[in-house]
Amino acid sequence: MAQLRAAQVPAHTLATELLLMHALGRDRAWIYSHPEESLDPATAQEFLALIARRAAGEPVQYLTGKQEFWGLQFEVTPAVLIPRPETEHVMEVALARLGERGIKIRMDTGAPRENLRVADAGTGSGCLAVALAWELPHAEVFATDISAPALEVARRNAARHKVAERIHFLQRDLLTGLENTNTGSRARPHAAPESAHDGSLFDLIVSNPPYIARNEAAQLQREVRDHEPHTALFGGPTGIEMYQRLIDQARDLLRDRGILVLELGHDSAEHVRGIFDAQPAWTKVAITMDLAGIPRVLAAERAR
Ligand SMILES: C[S@@+](CC[C@H](N)C(=O)[O-])C[C@H]1O[C@@H](n2cnc3c(N)ncnc32)[C@H](O)[C@@H]1O
């Protein structure tokens, strides 16, 4: 603890506990209820090596290889962004919007609902894709990332949570090519086709895109700037470049009343809202604040 405090590591007590738990393979309760135990030399060496790496700036999650998201344990490596609590608001907003419409049965007829088609652009660890597949047992999910190593981690996370057979991981630029993903699994017993390629349209698209401006790099914590993947952090010179393309692609891929949910950068709400306001294809545009009172999630519905 003293070593981490001296290195000005935030939450140094918690970091020490987590690294000790990891080195011992024990939980916190075991550690505090066994004050008589001492570390064997190999474990002590491993623990002190982890402390040294944390003092040098490596995030705890890359040292332990895990982070919780939406109550599920995710593997993380330096190939993926560490899932953040703010991103859980994307889950809340997406599930709330689907819930308003009756997710499992058709509220109007009570008949079983057809499969949901869901996409996650820039899936990283797969946290959103996996948590959505886990919450929505009737969903087929298409998760993209530009990074092949990130997709490998995401695939392992899907397997860990037993949803791998319902998630297609694709190395793509945002949502490019998703119009050709009709797997024929969408049973539509009660609905008339909305268009010729209706089977490839989506009910829900989510994304937490890279949204930090290049020139903000110097203001980032060293843990983030020096250790998290830059493709996951930086959206371009101003940080808002990804949104226009993402929204244009989503407009073409969502079915009538399909839902788009985007995580927002800390100062991008006005700009992103402006994109929606300029396109008559969208209704029910709403922004949700995070727990710090920052506009964090924008949701909108496609009106065809
Ligand atoms: C901010 S991270 C979000 C990761 C994960 N969805 C989460 O919420 O923790 C953005 C992700 O988008 C990916 N990415 C960056 N540019 C992309 C692009 N043009 N097309 C697809 N994915 C991209 C990055 O590799 C990274 O995994």
Side-chain angles (χ1 to χ4, degrees), residues 81 83 87 122-124 127 145-147 172-174 208-210 231-232 242:
L81 188 92
T87 305
T123 197
C127 57
D145 207 288
I146 203 93
S147 156
R172 298 284 164 84
D173 179 16
L174 298 180
N208 172 20
T231 41
M242 291 275 177

Side-chain angles (χ1 to χ4, degrees), residues 36-239:
E36 75 289 356
E37 294 275 337
S38 53
L39 299 190
D40 64 65
T43 308
Q45 201 177 4
E46 187 193 341
F47 173 57
L48 291 174
L50 290 169
I51 290 287
R53 288 171 64 187
R54 180 66 194 94
E58 281 185 66
V60 168
Q61 293 91 334
Y62 290 151
L63 297 172
T64 61
K66 57 193 180 203
Q67 170 64 35
E68 197 177 292
F69 180 83
W70 201 250
L72 302 170
Q73 190 79 252
F74 282 84
E75 174 191 338
V76 293
T77 75
V80 301
L81 188 92
I82 299 164
R84 303 294 204 269
E86 302 89 273
T87 305
E88 295 188 348
H89 292 303
V90 173
M91 290 292 299
E92 288 166 359
V93 171
L95 294 177
R97 290 251 178 165
L98 288 172
E100 284 165 15
R101 310 242 304 268
I103 15 181
K104 286 199 176 155
I105 54 162
R106 292 186 154 264
M107 300 296 251
D108 45 354
T109 64
R113 201 195 188 288
E114 69 271 24
N115 285 344
L116 281 175
R117 279 173 51 95
V118 175
D120 172 24
T123 197
S125 62
C127 57
L128 284 170
V130 169
L132 284 167
W134 191 81
E135 286 285 351
L136 303 166
H138 55 318
E140 181 181 20
V141 182
F142 294 79
T144 74
D145 207 288
I146 203 93
S147 156
L151 286 166
E152 287 305 312
V153 177
R155 280 192 188 98
R156 290 199 291 274
N157 280 320
R160 169 190 283 233
H161 294 296
K162 305 197 170 25
V163 291
E165 71 286 354
R166 289 189 289 115
I167 307 184
H168 309 271
F169 289 103
L170 307 166
Q171 191 176 13
R172 298 284 164 84
D173 179 16
L174 298 180
L175 299 165
T176 305
L178 261 60
E179 62 278 9
N180 301 316
T181 54
N182 185 355
T183 55
S185 67
R186 185 173 188 128
R188 297 184 55 80
H190 307 289
E194 283 150 2
S195 77
H197 63 300
D198 180 57
S200 13
L201 294 178
F202 286 83
D203 300 275
L204 170 69
I205 296 177
V206 298
S207 185
N208 172 20
Y211 53 60
I212 300 171
R214 272 275 162 206
N215 63 11
E216 283 174 354
Q219 293 150 39
L220 294 174
Q221 282 182 309
R222 63 178 176 157
E223 283 81 359
V224 178
R225 186 191 55 235
D226 298 345
H227 295 280
E228 299 208 66
H230 284 191
T231 41
L233 299 175
F234 299 112
T238 65

